[in-house]
Amino acid sequence: MIGEHVAEKVTTRHLQRCAYLYVRQSTLRQVLENTTSTERQYGLRQRAVALGWGIDQVVVIDEDLGRSGASAEGREGFQRLVADVGMGKAGIVIGLEVSRLARNNADWHRLLEICALSETLILDEDGLYDPCTFNDRLLLGLKGQMSEAELHLLRARLRGGLLTKARRGELIVPLPIGFVYDACGRVMLDPDQGVRDALSHLFAAFERTGSARATVRYFNTEGLTFPSRVQTGPNKGTLVYLALRHHRVLQVLHNPRYAGAFSYGRRRQRRDVDGRIHQSIQPREAWITLIPNAHPGYINWERYERNLTILAESAQAHGTDRRIGPAREGPALLQGLVICGRCGTRMTVRYHTRQGKPVPDYVCQRIGIEDATAICAQLPGQDVDTAIGDLLLNMVTPLALDVSLAVQAELEGRAGEADALRRGYVERARIAAEQARHRYFAVDPENRLVAANLEADWNDALRSLSAAQEDYERRSARDASLGAQDKARILALASNFQALWLDTRTPQQERKRMVRLLIEDVTLLRDHNITVQIRFKGGQTTSFEVPVALPASQARCTPASVIAEIDRLLEHYTDAGVAAELNSAGIVSGTKKPFNALIISRIRTKYQLASRQDRLASRGLVSLEEAATRLGVCTKTVKQWHREGLIEGEVLDERNICLYRIPDHTPSKQKGRRLSDRARQGVALSPSHDRTRNKPDGGQL
């Protein structure tokens, strides 16, 4: 019976509005199994009628059946209730208990505040409350706190049992691809051989390449796919094969399950202000449980730890420390290994083009970038790389045979693993086609729609089988042909590490991996020369110096010794004659080209060497016109005297222009035979005879 003090709270203003009955169950299982609770909630309509509301005024909100009351998010019915209360449509809100309306104290007090502002009553199984009065509001607040505390206790009990099982390693959790539960709930490897082979191949590829991205590239290059299980939808749990992605490789490598270890607490969930859930990876010391060797795995724990170390080093290669990362494709042999000898910071690689080829420089620029100052150091890397390569050739020769044979065995094993995976693809496609055929023949022929769909599925399966078979045959033929062609070369190189290193067909990335097997780091310091200090894996160190390569502007300059030789030859030869003498001696220019007259002329101008004319003039030789004037004869006579050896002359340039030396006594002018001939015969020449027999001669050398 409703007391008078209860009836006094219900006024005409309340009865003019509707009565809102809120019905909720936390889960769908409760809706299906706890039907009594649902019936009790619907029965509260009679309480509203008893208080004076008509049955048609009772609004039932049951959209939130099967939804948790921990938050208002996702509860459309509760949001509708709050909206109608705020708009003044509700005279009373009815619920079986406070926990039905809200398990969250913040949502509950928000509803109380709105009910107080709109003068809306609240009714539960215990009584009627007016949020406008202090005592009723205090009681409702206590009920909300108790409801939230009850939810906390329930969660704590459930989580306590869950953690207890987790600490024993008995908690049933979803397994990653490659593992299944047996009939007794124990973890075992997936019975599908194709799944196991794909995972084993992934771990082998990562160990070989040292990079998750390189592993993805290898799978894509070889046409290999990776297994996955559908997580949602009607095909949930179905095994499919998809192209391998980078995030999938990281998931597999970071998951300790693949090392046979049970772990719990690797991820922690957090809800932000918008209600969205975020997951964060926790460090190992924050995990709740880690039990090694809890079940079979694909790798051992030591290899799992080594994989994490490689991934960490790869991540640090992109950070401020610039530590060792996986070997890249660039020509820099010491990429990721170089330390600045001045500040101790890891040096980066910068490439520039020289004669169409990339040439590395090792640069210490981190501090300069941070402080907007000049870079700490920049060293040419080509000569350093060459020196390191020569050092390794001298040191690693005794181990060459074992290294090369191991490489050969690895290549053969890699090809065999890939071939086994591709055979598995073909076998799965054949099984799928056979199953499609059985389904097609098992259907009733009269059911044409179903038969047509099954026939289409069979045709698709046959096409997939044909494509898989063709891909397998094509790749197998390619691998076989490569093995036959390269087998003799591999065996020849197996006993000669030097030939393997110097072979132009050896990728630079493979040379980098060889370096990383032997060298821990290299410290470079530039002074007059580049001091190189190498620290090997075993702790031994060695140091040597590499001459600093000249800048391009200086390297192309003509050496001083050649310039001195040119200066000497200019005393006796023209520019063309000097070039011919240098070329005959095998001397080349600073640009490694043969000399010519133009190059000699430019060298004279650049280094301010005296010209041929200045040199002859300093020795007293004059031009043809000046010689004729000073001797009192015509130019033809001077040339004639020069041909007959009466006056000296030297060639000035390539045009055969000569400069002449003025003799102490002027030669006599004689006619008739050449003066040289008559002098040999002892004939005395008189001045008169010379004047009558003199003939002009315009010839010259």
Side-chain angles (χ1 to χ4, degrees), residues 261-288:
F262 175 85
S263 64
Y264 187 79
R266 292 177 57 236
R267 292 181 175 85
R268 183 167 297 174
Q269 292 185 350
R270 181 182 59 84
R271 189 183 297 273
D272 60 11
V273 294
D274 297 331
R276 293 176 296 184
I277 297 177
H278 298 273
Q279 287 189 351
S280 59
I281 303 296
Q282 300 299 308
R284 184 176 299 179
E285 56 271 13
W287 294 3
I288 297 174

Side-chain angles (χ1 to χ4, degrees), residues 321-333:
D321 193 38
R322 309 297 296 177
R323 294 188 181 177
I324 300 175
R328 306 296 182 185
E329 294 78 7
L333 186 65

Side-chain angles (χ1 to χ4, degrees), residues 450-621:
V450 176
N453 290 332
L454 293 178
E455 184 180 8
D457 293 342
W458 187 17
N459 291 332
D460 292 340
L462 290 176
R463 282 191 290 268
S464 299
L465 174 60
S466 177
Q469 185 69 34
E470 292 177 359
D471 181 72
Y472 171 75
E473 293 175 354
R474 182 178 65 255
R475 293 182 180 274
S476 298
R478 183 199 65 181
D479 293 343
S481 61
L482 287 176
Q485 294 176 359
D486 296 340
K487 185 175 181 179
R489 183 174 63 88
I490 292 174
L491 291 175
L493 293 176
S495 58
N496 193 341
F497 179 80
Q498 183 176 7
L500 177 63
W501 180 272
L502 299 177
D503 191 355
T504 57
R505 292 168 292 184
T506 302
Q508 184 70 2
Q509 191 174 6
E510 298 299 330
R511 294 190 182 93
K512 292 183 181 182
R513 291 186 181 134
M514 298 179 194
V515 171
R516 279 159 172 73
L517 293 175
L518 301 171
I519 296 178
E520 184 69 29
D521 54 49
V522 178
T523 302
L524 301 181
L525 179 62
R526 179 171 182 172
D527 194 5
H528 299 293
N529 294 323
I530 300 177
T531 302
V532 182
Q533 183 177 13
I534 304 174
R535 185 161 62 98
F536 293 96
K537 289 291 186 180
Q540 300 88 351
T541 61
T542 185
S543 300
F544 57 89
E545 290 188 352
V546 176
V548 177
L550 295 175
S553 58
Q554 299 181 15
R556 294 168 62 90
C557 292
T558 304
S561 58
V562 178
I563 295 175
E565 181 67 12
I566 292 175
D567 189 23
R568 186 186 68 81
L569 293 174
L570 284 173
E571 296 288 341
H572 309 284
Y573 300 96
T574 63
D575 290 349
V578 172
E581 290 293 324
L582 293 175
N583 292 336
S584 62
I587 302 175
V588 294
S589 65
T591 57
K592 309 303 179 184
K593 296 180 180 179
F595 285 98
N596 53 42
L598 180 59
I599 294 177
I600 300 298
S601 176
R602 290 175 177 174
I603 291 176
R604 283 195 297 100
T605 303
K606 180 177 180 180
Y607 295 98
Q608 299 180 355
L609 301 180
S611 65
R612 172 75 169 164
Q613 184 172 3
D614 293 340
R615 295 170 187 269
L616 295 179
S618 64
R619 285 151 48 186
L621 278 73

Side-chain angles (χ1 to χ4, degrees), residues 247-261:
H247 72 278
R248 292 285 291 148
V249 178
L250 295 181
Q251 288 175 357
V252 172
L253 295 175
H254 281 97
N255 197 332
R257 282 284 196 178
Y258 291 101

